[in-house]
Amino acid sequence: MKLSSRTKRIISDNVATCSLLIVLTLIILIGVLSSLSTERFLQNDRQVAHTYQVMDHVRAVISDLKDAETGQRGYLLTGDPAYLQPYLTGKSAVDRDIKTLRVLTLDNLSQQRRLDTLQTLSAKKLAELDQTITLRKQIGSAAALRVVKSGRGKSVMDQARAVVEQMRREEEKLLVRRTAEAERAGVVARIAGSLGAVFSALLIVLAIRFVGQYLRERTRVEAENLRLVEAARDAAMQQRVFLKDVLASVTEGRLALCDTEAELPAALAVYGETISLANSHNLRFLRHAAANAARACGFSEDRIQDLVTSVSEAGMNAVTHGGGGQAVVRTDGHSRVQVWVTDQGKGIAMSSLPQSTLERGYSSAGSLGHGFWLMLKMCDKISLLTGSQGTSVVLDQAKTAQGAAWLRGDELHATATFKTIAGNGGTSASDVKNLSFRTRTY
């Protein structure tokens, strides 16, 4: 039986209505999922920050005991009460840090037990220090030194270090787990957001069809999609050049995206030895080498601190995302310092380069720091060579600051434009989306 035009239109309208309701339901469900995933991500991020806070205070307890011990030894040697100031400061700081740890680890019974042991050992160590100081005051240095030579204080200190190491390892395990959870939650949130955008676009198409313009809209969309695919194919070879121009323009030349090793800056003379970045513990050697090179060139303390901060971020990226690497400090001997950091990781994806380098706190691999945003704020110039074979970052710092306008002031604005093609990661001159990053001074 042949259907009339009116019947066909009614059927078509009913189909469009049902499709509209289905899409609306899906959008609502995706919105709920996205909201839950985002909240989960933020919660995990807070837990990661909490873990770092615990680790800092755990290390502080040993540092406080060392300060107290330093003051005690100075007084035993000289008898001058002025040398007791580090002892008094360290003694009060130990109690304060342990109380803070007590609050921070309330949700962790094993850490609370270790903290009980650490508190007992700290009390024993402080009692031993107090005893020697009293003996020095009342009897003399010989009596005090006999207590020191007994080795009791050293034994207690070694036990305290062991407990601190156990607590640190426990927190590192928590950090790994919480970081992975945060990354998974972030992935779910991004997927939910992408699905929401897709179904929202579909809802627009169905709404247009519902008022009788479906065929015309479909033709337009098909033609547009065909044009975008063709444009994407033509622009694929230009994507990296485009990103280089954008990054160089937005950062006023502070960030140079290199295609080959030949485009990296001319290397200065090597300062010291090559530093292995097999793990995060070696970062302190890199920081010390960079600081020493800068001091040798007469840098101010502020410029040294900026360089050390940038070097630390670059080194941590190599350890965290590149599976380790190596670093070399170079200098011209009087006004410039370079730090070359390389790894053999998978590199930074082209689609993530604008956000990875410009957006504060962004990471395509679930990292925790401020990354390139902070390096660009602290360092004069950064050269970046990244690909499937690994990543090389060259940090270049001069004795005199050369700040860029986009990084100055209490409010920092960076606007990077990059092109997005539907269904393809390419670029074209006619399809531009503005991506604005708004950040505050770190």
Side-chain angles (χ1 to χ4, degrees):
M1 185 178 70
K2 187 177 181 178
L3 298 177
S4 64
S5 299
R6 182 174 181 276
T7 302
K8 291 180 179 179
R9 186 169 59 252
I10 292 174
I11 294 175
S12 178
D13 290 343
N14 288 337
V15 170
T17 301
C18 292
S19 301
L20 183 65
L21 292 175
I22 292 173
V23 172
L24 281 172
T25 302
L26 289 174
I27 289 174
I28 292 173
L29 292 176
I30 291 172
V32 173
L33 175 61
S34 178
S35 177
L36 293 175
S37 299
T38 300
E39 178 58 31
R40 178 65 175 170
F41 175 81
L42 294 175
Q43 181 181 354
N44 287 331
D45 193 57
R46 288 191 293 268
Q47 289 177 339
V48 168
H50 175 272
T51 301
Y52 275 117
Q53 191 176 9
V54 172
M55 293 172 70
D56 287 342
H57 282 284
V58 167
R59 287 191 291 264
V61 173
I62 286 296
S63 179
D64 297 336
L65 290 174
K66 288 180 180 178
D67 290 342
E69 193 173 50
T70 299
Q72 171 240 24
R73 290 180 178 176
Y75 178 74
L76 294 184
L77 290 173
T78 65
D80 187 353
Y83 283 88
L84 289 176
Q85 186 57 46
Y87 163 77
L88 298 174
T89 302
K91 184 177 181 180
S92 61
V94 168
D95 182 64
R96 182 173 62 252
D97 286 325
I98 288 179
K99 287 181 179 178
T100 302
L101 284 170
R102 185 72 65 186
V103 175
L104 292 174
T105 59
L106 282 175
D107 60 341
N108 192 324
L109 182 58
S110 61
Q111 290 291 60
Q112 287 278 304
R113 290 170 181 161
R114 295 187 185 101
L115 187 58
D116 290 338
T117 303
L118 181 60
Q119 186 172 17
T120 300
L121 292 172
S122 298
K124 288 182 179 180
K125 179 60 180 176
L126 293 174
E128 183 260 344
L129 296 178
D130 188 66
Q131 180 188 10
T132 57
I133 291 171
T134 301
L135 288 173
R136 179 66 173 84
K137 288 180 180 179
Q138 297 178 356
I139 300 177
S141 60
L145 289 176
R146 279 196 297 271
V147 175
V148 174
K149 291 179 179 180
S150 70
R152 186 182 65 190
K154 180 181 183 302
S155 175
V156 172
M157 196 68 173
D158 290 342
Q159 293 177 56
R161 288 192 181 96
V163 173
V164 166
E165 179 63 16
Q166 292 173 5
M167 295 183 72
R168 184 190 65 78
R169 290 179 180 176
E170 174 71 13
E171 291 302 322
E172 283 187 346
K173 291 179 181 178
L174 290 173
L175 181 62
V176 171
R177 189 190 71 194
R178 289 169 177 173
T179 300
E181 290 175 352
E183 183 176 356
R184 286 195 295 269
V187 169
V188 173
R190 288 193 294 271
I191 292 175
S194 299
L195 290 176
V198 170
F199 282 108
S200 295
L202 180 58
L203 178 62
I204 294 175
V205 174
L206 290 174
I208 294 174
R209 171 64 184 88
F210 192 63
V211 295
Q213 298 179 353
Y214 173 78
L215 293 177
R216 184 174 63 185
E217 181 64 16
R218 182 180 64 181
T219 301
R220 188 193 69 80
V221 170
E222 289 177 351
E224 180 68 4
N225 286 342
L226 179 61
R227 186 187 67 81
L228 292 177
V229 169
E230 293 174 349
R233 186 182 303 112
D234 294 337
M237 299 299 295
Q238 303 175 11
Q239 183 182 32
R240 190 171 182 89
V241 174
F242 169 79
L243 286 176
K244 289 177 63 174
D245 293 340
V246 168
L247 295 175
S249 176
V250 169
T251 62
E252 299 183 4
R254 292 176 75 115
L255 177 59
L257 181 61
C258 304
D259 292 325
T260 64
E261 292 185 0
E263 294 183 14
L264 292 172
L268 302 178
V270 175
Y271 183 92
E273 300 179 352
T274 299
I275 300 170
S276 171
L277 299 178
N279 54 66
S280 59
H281 299 294
N282 290 349
L283 291 177
R284 66 180 184 274
F285 301 122
L286 175 58
R287 289 192 289 265
H288 291 164
N292 290 338
R295 288 193 181 94
C297 290
F299 281 34
S300 67
E301 285 303 316
D302 285 345
R303 295 291 287 163
I304 293 173
Q305 187 58 47
D306 286 348
L307 176 61
V308 169
T309 300
S310 301
V311 167
S312 183
E313 286 291 334
M316 182 57 74
N317 282 347
V319 173
T320 304
H321 308 310
Q326 62 182 21
V328 179
V329 178
R330 300 175 179 270
T331 175
D332 64 0
H334 56 86
S335 64
R336 280 181 62 202
V337 174
Q338 288 179 345
V339 180
W340 294 60
V341 179
T342 59
D343 64 58
Q344 287 74 48
K346 297 180 180 179
I348 305 174
M350 292 296 295
S351 59
S352 302
L353 268 173
Q355 286 175 289
S356 297
T357 53
L358 298 178
E359 184 176 356
R360 179 181 181 179
Y362 176 84
S363 172
S364 60
S367 65
L368 306 172
H370 292 263
F372 275 95
W373 181 92
L374 189 57
M375 284 188 271
L376 285 168
K377 185 175 187 300
M378 298 293 184
C379 196
D380 291 341
K381 185 171 182 179
I382 301 174
S383 299
L384 171 64
L385 173 63
T386 184
S388 60
Q389 301 303 312
T391 297
S392 295
V393 177
V394 181
L395 306 174
D396 203 323
Q397 190 83 321
K399 181 190 297 186
T400 304
Q402 302 173 9
W406 76 284
L407 288 171
R408 292 197 284 266
D410 291 334
E411 287 286 334
L412 307 179
H413 302 277
T415 302
T417 60
F418 65 93
K419 302 176 173 96
T420 305
I421 302 303
N424 194 328
T427 61
S428 72
S430 61
D431 300 282
V432 180
K433 288 187 178 180
N434 289 325
L435 177 61
S436 297
F437 306 108
R438 180 180 178 85
T439 61
R440 293 186 176 273
T441 301
Y442 179 71

